Amino acid sequence: AVINPSTNQVIDTIQVGGCPYNIIYDPSNGYLYVTNPGSNTVSVIDPTTNTVVATIPIMLTDEPIGITYDPSNGYIYVACAGVTATGYNIVSIIDPKSNTVIGSIQLEPYSAPWGITYDPSNGYLYVTGLDSGTVYVINPNTNTVIATIPVGSSPVTIFYNPGNGYLYVSNLGS
């Protein structure tokens, strides 16, 4: 739904893939990116026309949930909580110039990546592992996990607060 905040009215609806979950804005191209775990896709929306301009397939059964934009390299990172050959542990990398998946980062098996955020103070990505109770710290320059932080039971969302530089995690199970 598109809402006009000055009138608090829905002014448009945009049909995307199955079960739309999260949305981010890419300032480099002005598009919105929506994760659709029900169809294993990411929808690309042009907000000037409120239309889907591309649909990016994510590997079958990967279930894209969390999404963030990294301004240092211009890529979009998607936390995928679905079953994979290596077990619930993929972060997909999208190049918004071509709207294609260009790689992936593996976390530990059965971690169920859910939420993801970018920390501009150090350039790292932080990914919650729903099933592992862990936040994974990823260096996007090497696409590797450089640290893990145990945070409690079933962490789902994570937010970087630019006001104090801290990360906030909501734990569904604790």
Side-chain angles (χ1 to χ4, degrees):
V2 181
I3 298 171
N4 180 337
S6 62
T7 62
N8 292 329
Q9 299 291 315
V10 173
I11 59 170
D12 203 351
T13 57
I14 304 166
Q15 295 298 316
V16 294
C19 304
Y21 198 84
N22 275 312
I23 187 169
I24 57 111
Y25 174 73
D26 179 346
S28 71
N29 62 17
Y31 290 154
L32 303 169
Y33 290 76
V34 178
T35 58
N36 306 303
S39 58
N40 292 310
T41 62
V42 172
S43 297
V44 184
I45 297 171
D46 180 345
T48 62
T49 60
N50 290 336
T51 58
V52 174
V53 295
T55 301
I56 304 166
I58 303 296
M59 290 179 64
L60 185 62
T61 72
D62 276 4
E63 293 182 31
I65 301 285
I67 189 165
T68 196
Y69 172 75
D70 179 346
S72 68
N73 62 20
Y75 293 148
I76 293 169
Y77 293 82
V78 181
C80 300
V83 179
T84 65
T86 54
Y88 304 103
N89 65 339
I90 298 294
V91 174
S92 292
I93 307 165
I94 294 174
D95 182 348
K97 291 180 182 132
S98 62
N99 284 328
T100 58
V101 175
I102 60 167
S104 64
I105 302 164
Q106 288 195 349
L107 308 182
E108 67 182 332
Y110 304 103
S111 53
W114 204 270
I116 186 168
T117 195
Y118 172 78
D119 180 344
S121 70
N122 61 20
Y124 294 151
L125 301 167
Y126 292 82
V127 181
T128 59
L130 177 71
D131 289 347
S132 65
T134 303
V135 169
Y136 299 88
V137 184
I138 296 174
N139 180 339
N141 294 320
T142 60
N143 290 333
T144 57
V145 175
I146 59 169
T148 57
I149 307 164
V151 294
S153 180
S154 303
V156 285
T157 56
I158 187 165
F159 174 77
Y160 171 77
N161 180 349
N164 62 14
Y166 294 156
L167 296 163
Y168 293 83
V169 178
S170 60
N171 290 323
L172 185 65
S174 59

